[in-house]
Amino acid sequence: MTAGPASALSSSACRTIYGNAPNHGLIDNLPPDSVVEVPCLTDALGVQPTRVGALPPQCAVLNRAHDPEAVRATVRRAGHDLLGLPH
């Protein structure tokens, strides 16, 4: 049985998981105010996102194609639906 990410936080063991983090220099060719999924190291110090560098241009274009306002509206509506609030 292998130890999970939570046990790595309380020991000297280091594990790699994939998580979402603010893009503060993690992926060069995506907007700095976006949230990106990157490899993260987990150990007794916590969770540290790993810098990826630049994505292949084709991948970056696909990721930048999402309209941030449309995404925000979708998340807002989903939140209202979950909480039973009017739109």
Side-chain angles (χ1 to χ4, degrees), residues 10-87:
S10 61
S11 72
S12 60
C14 183
R15 294 191 46 98
T16 300
I17 62 170
Y18 287 83
N20 296 321
N23 187 28
H24 297 165
L26 298 173
I27 299 180
D28 297 335
N29 51 351
L30 292 182
D33 62 341
S34 62
V35 174
V36 294
E37 184 172 335
V38 293
C40 299
L41 301 178
T42 62
D43 60 19
L45 298 175
V47 180
Q48 298 88 34
T50 303
R51 184 175 185 285
V52 173
L55 294 177
Q58 304 88 334
C59 294
V61 167
L62 288 173
N63 281 280
R64 285 193 306 257
H66 300 288
D67 176 13
E69 283 306 314
V71 172
R72 284 187 193 94
T74 302
V75 170
R76 206 169 20 252
R77 182 174 177 107
H80 282 240
D81 288 347
L82 286 173
L83 298 174
L85 301 173
H87 297 282

